[in-house]
Amino acid sequence: MANVEKISVSVTPQHADLLRDAVGSGAYASASEVIREAMRDWSAKWQQRSGDIEKLRGMWAEGKASGAATPVDFDEALEARQELKTARGHGG
């Protein structure tokens, strides 16, 4: 690997055992390989989470910009939803 940075990371004894087991089983060539895969997985989750946060912020701003809140009769809304479902032929 041409462009890498060496860092030190502390893990629990259980995680260290898992890491050693993964390398010992032959599934990975080194502990670094295990960590790099874990970082790729974490990075994908982090990017997804960041996108979700931005989407929620946008929805929040859109809601605030739509005007003042108004009271909602949830029973009435549920009845209307059921009527719409029935009218579309989806039954109950």
Side-chain angles (χ1 to χ4, degrees), residues 14-84:
Q14 294 84 1
H15 286 145
D17 287 342
L18 284 169
L19 194 131
R20 282 189 286 274
D21 288 346
V23 174
S25 74
Y28 296 89
S30 68
S32 292
E33 191 177 310
V34 176
I35 298 302
R36 282 191 297 272
E37 181 173 323
M39 290 298 299
R40 284 190 295 271
D41 291 347
W42 173 82
S43 179
K45 287 179 188 177
W46 178 253
Q47 288 174 355
Q48 176 66 46
R49 189 173 302 136
S50 295
D52 291 347
I53 290 169
E54 287 306 312
K55 183 176 179 181
L56 286 172
R57 284 184 178 142
M59 291 169 67
W60 179 262
E62 183 181 329
K64 285 178 26 180
S66 71
T70 57
V72 173
D73 181 337
F74 283 102
D75 291 331
E76 187 177 301
L78 288 173
E79 287 175 24
R81 184 176 183 183
Q82 185 59 45
E83 288 173 15
L84 180 61

